[in-house]
């Protein structure tokens, strides 16, 4: 048979400014693009493997994992295939079907699926509702204590460090302490934070942290990071009885080839950019301020924003859509004309966006484009 044409060409990122928050932190620096080329073949990191992926010395996966553990301040770290696989491994190792875990009400769908796939029930900590949708330590404590009273035992707690709906940054250190005081192991989901802002798992009182290479660590992925304190190494990294070198929960070897090579190549770049997080937040705030100068554009979530992912309610654009010949598509199309992409087609009531990693001029250009569209779309 002959294969169809799969349309495997992509210039979106080269030719446009992309506002999709999902994609801003996964753009590769030059060193990672080179690594992608060199390590594109299947098991390319396995040339000098003696049975343990995490101990390979050429390329220095062992050295890289040492650096990574220091970077996020954990005792042991493994790469996995994504933040979701990291969460799944923790839930799987700590819980049995029918057990209960506590999760925050802004948790990502992959948290819910990790619990479901393990047959684990969830008790949710509600957020504060509109307009902040905040997860507070007080509510977390109350929910956790009630859950312990009701169920007798809570096996695990999960906190989303920065959620993907509002870009709210939770008080991880405080909530971590609450969980530790209650004797409940806790995992911090850093998919939107590790690689963007500094993570210190121990200072945050966390037993586990997970990160996402393709979301926030400038890696091609799919790859995730699972860090833990020494206390959990034996359980999480238990070895097979048949294959003495292989860790069961990791199914032996995890990320190999281009995903891990790009993550390794990007680590110095990621360490450097994390140190400039405060600046990035300041620029996100400036961007929000410029956007809110448009009558009928309001940021929701905690204000001022503490993250580059921002969510706007945009009645201004929704109103235009009612009268515009292109209806709801006008916004996407007007942005596209200005070489801006990443807002979903047809969506005008609200949207999420991020200008993370763009130059100040590019950020101004994006805000300016929204102004122009708000003023002229119906002309
Ligand atoms: C994107 C995202 C994930 C999923 O990350 P993967 O690495 O693709 O599994 C999990 N949690 C949050 C909060 C996210 O934003």
């Amino acid at each position: 048979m002959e294969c169809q044409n799969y349309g495997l060409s992509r210039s979106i990122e080269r030719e446009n400014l992309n506002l999709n928050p999902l994609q801003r932190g996964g753009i590769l620096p030059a060193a990672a693009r080179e690594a992608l080329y060199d390590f594109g073949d299947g098991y390319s990191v396995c040339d000098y493997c003696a049975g343990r992926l995490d101990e390979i010395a050429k390329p220095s996966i062992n050295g890289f994992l040492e650096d990574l553990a220091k970077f996020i301040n954990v005792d042991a770290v493994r790469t996995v295939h994504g933040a979701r696989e990291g969460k799944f491994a923790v839930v799987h190792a700590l819980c049995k079907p029918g057990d209960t875990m506590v999760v925050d009400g802004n948790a990502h769908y992959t948290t819910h699926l990790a619990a479901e796939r393990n047959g684990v029930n969830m008790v949710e900590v509600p957020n504060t509702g509109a307009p902040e949708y905040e997860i507070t330590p007080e509510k977390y404590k109350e929910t956790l204590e009630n859950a312990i009273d009701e169920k007798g035992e809570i096996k695990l707690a999960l906190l989303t460090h920065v959620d993907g709906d509002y870009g709210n940054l939770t008080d991880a250190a405080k909530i971590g302490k609450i969980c530790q005081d209650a004797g409940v192991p806790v995992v911090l989901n850093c998919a939107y934070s590790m690689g963007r802002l500094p993570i210190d798992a121990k200072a945050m009182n966390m037993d586990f942290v997970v990160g996402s290479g393709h979301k926030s660590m400038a890696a091609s992925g799919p790859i995730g990071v699972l860090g833990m304190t020494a206390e959990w190494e034996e359980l999480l990294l238990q070895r097979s009885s048949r294959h003495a070198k292989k860790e069961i929960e990791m199914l032996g070897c995890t990320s190999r080839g281009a995903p891990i090579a790009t993550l390794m190549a990007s680590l110095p770049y990621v360490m450097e950019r994390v140190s400039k997080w405060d600046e990035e937040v300041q620029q996100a705030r400036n961007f929000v301020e410029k956007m809110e100068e448009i009558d009928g554009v309001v940021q929701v979530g905690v204000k001022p924003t503490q993250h580059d992912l921002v969510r706007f309610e945009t009645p201004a654009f929704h109103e235009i859509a009612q009268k515009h010949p292109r209806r709801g598509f006008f916004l996407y199309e007007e942005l596209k004309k200005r070489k801006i992409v990443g807002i979903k087609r047809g969506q005008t009531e609200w949207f999420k966006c991020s200008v993370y990693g763009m130059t100040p001029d590019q950020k101004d250009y994006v805000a300016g484009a929204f102004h122009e569209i708000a003023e002229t779309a119906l002309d």
Side-chain angles (χ1 to χ4, degrees):
M1 65 169 264
E2 244 178 71
C3 287
Q4 301 163 50
N5 179 348
Y6 302 131
L8 275 173
S9 72
R10 179 171 184 258
S11 56
I12 280 229
E13 201 66 61
R14 270 198 301 276
E15 293 172 2
N16 302 276
L17 292 169
N18 190 350
L19 301 180
N20 189 347
L22 196 68
Q23 296 177 316
R24 299 281 341 139
I27 297 170
L28 305 190
R33 275 191 205 282
E34 256 174 63
L36 179 64
Y37 185 79
D38 281 351
F39 287 88
D41 298 332
Y43 284 101
S44 56
V45 297
C46 307
D47 297 335
Y48 303 97
C49 181
R52 279 283 295 272
L53 177 81
D54 55 294
E55 291 174 357
I56 294 174
K58 188 180 168 12
S60 181
I61 293 181
N62 55 1
F64 162 72
L65 292 175
E66 263 177 48
D67 292 344
L68 184 59
K70 277 187 212 143
F71 178 53
I72 57 176
N73 197 14
V74 291
D75 298 312
V77 69
R78 293 291 184 272
T79 52
V80 287
H81 298 300
R84 70 195 71 199
E85 282 81 0
K87 292 184 285 186
F88 177 79
V90 174
V91 180
H92 188 248
L94 272 70
C95 304
K96 289 192 308 291
D99 284 346
T100 301
M101 65 185 282
V102 167
V103 306
D104 63 276
N106 289 347
H108 194 250
Y109 80 88
T110 55
T111 294
H112 306 143
L113 268 55
E116 279 187 84
R117 187 178 168 193
N118 280 303
V120 170
N121 304 312
M122 281 165 280
V123 171
E124 284 186 84
V125 181
N127 66 36
T128 56
E132 280 102 6
Y133 305 95
E134 195 179 355
I135 299 293
T136 63
E138 294 70 31
K139 203 69 186 170
Y140 206 106
K141 184 163 192 276
E142 183 192 322
T143 309
L144 183 65
E145 286 173 353
N146 288 343
I148 293 170
D149 283 348
E150 213 169 286
K151 310 276 175 189
E153 192 181 18
I154 295 298
K155 287 291 185 66
L156 182 65
L158 180 139
L159 178 67
T160 311
H161 197 204
V162 173
D163 71 89
D165 284 323
Y166 309 104
N168 287 347
L169 175 73
T170 51
D171 191 338
K174 229 184 216 173
I175 294 174
K177 178 78 169 43
I178 288 166
C179 296
Q180 285 192 341
D181 288 350
V184 177
V186 54
V187 52
L188 186 66
N189 177 7
C190 301
Y192 256 119
S193 55
M194 186 188 296
R196 287 166 126 97
L197 54 124
I199 298 297
D200 184 331
K202 290 190 182 168
M204 289 169 171
N205 305 307
M206 290 294 152
D207 295 274
F208 303 96
V209 290
V210 301
S212 175
H214 41 282
K215 172 75 72 57
S216 297
M217 303 178 82
S220 70
I223 191 163
V225 171
L226 168 59
M228 68 200 82
T229 56
E231 188 188 342
W232 298 104
E233 276 182 65
E234 204 180 302
L235 179 67
L236 255 287
L237 305 177
Q238 193 188 335
R239 309 276 191 89
S240 158
S241 54
R242 294 188 54 153
H243 306 276
K245 290 185 173 173
K246 305 296 188 187
E247 293 164 348
I248 301 171
E249 201 65 68
M250 304 294 114
L251 292 177
C253 301
T254 59
S255 199
R256 42 217 181 268
I260 191 164
T262 54
L263 184 68
M264 290 166 70
S266 283
L267 187 61
Y269 165 83
V270 163
M271 283 177 167
E272 163 71 17
R273 82 177 182 188
V274 160
S275 71
K276 297 191 193 126
W277 175 244
D278 289 347
E279 241 171 82
E280 200 60 58
V281 172
Q282 190 50 54
Q283 292 188 25
R285 289 177 181 176
N286 296 345
F287 175 72
V288 169
E289 201 175 298
K290 286 196 186 105
M291 290 292 285
E292 287 190 330
E293 284 166 7
I294 303 170
D295 200 18
V297 172
V298 186
Q299 184 226 324
V300 293
V302 173
K303 288 173 99 161
T305 184
Q306 296 159 301
H307 195 268
D308 57 274
L309 184 156
V310 283
R311 181 178 181 126
F312 294 104
E313 280 175 0
T314 53
F317 294 117
H318 197 56
E319 232 169 81
I320 295 172
Q322 310 313 307
K323 300 178 203 144
H324 199 281
R326 294 296 298 141
R327 309 293 293 187
F329 296 113
F330 87 94
L331 183 58
Y332 174 87
E333 289 166 2
E334 288 293 326
L335 288 168
K336 191 79 208 283
K337 274 191 223 162
R338 294 166 175 84
K339 297 266 179 207
I340 297 168
V341 298
I343 304 288
K344 289 200 173 67
R345 280 185 84 225
Q347 190 176 335
T348 53
E349 269 175 287
W350 65 272
F351 56 77
K352 298 187 283 189
C353 68
S354 165
V355 291
Y356 180 69
M358 291 184 194
T359 66
D361 280 353
Q362 289 172 328
K363 289 168 180 162
D364 286 346
Y365 172 76
V366 171
F370 279 104
H371 274 264
E372 206 178 277
I373 294 166
E375 284 154 22
T376 63
L378 285 174
D379 291 354

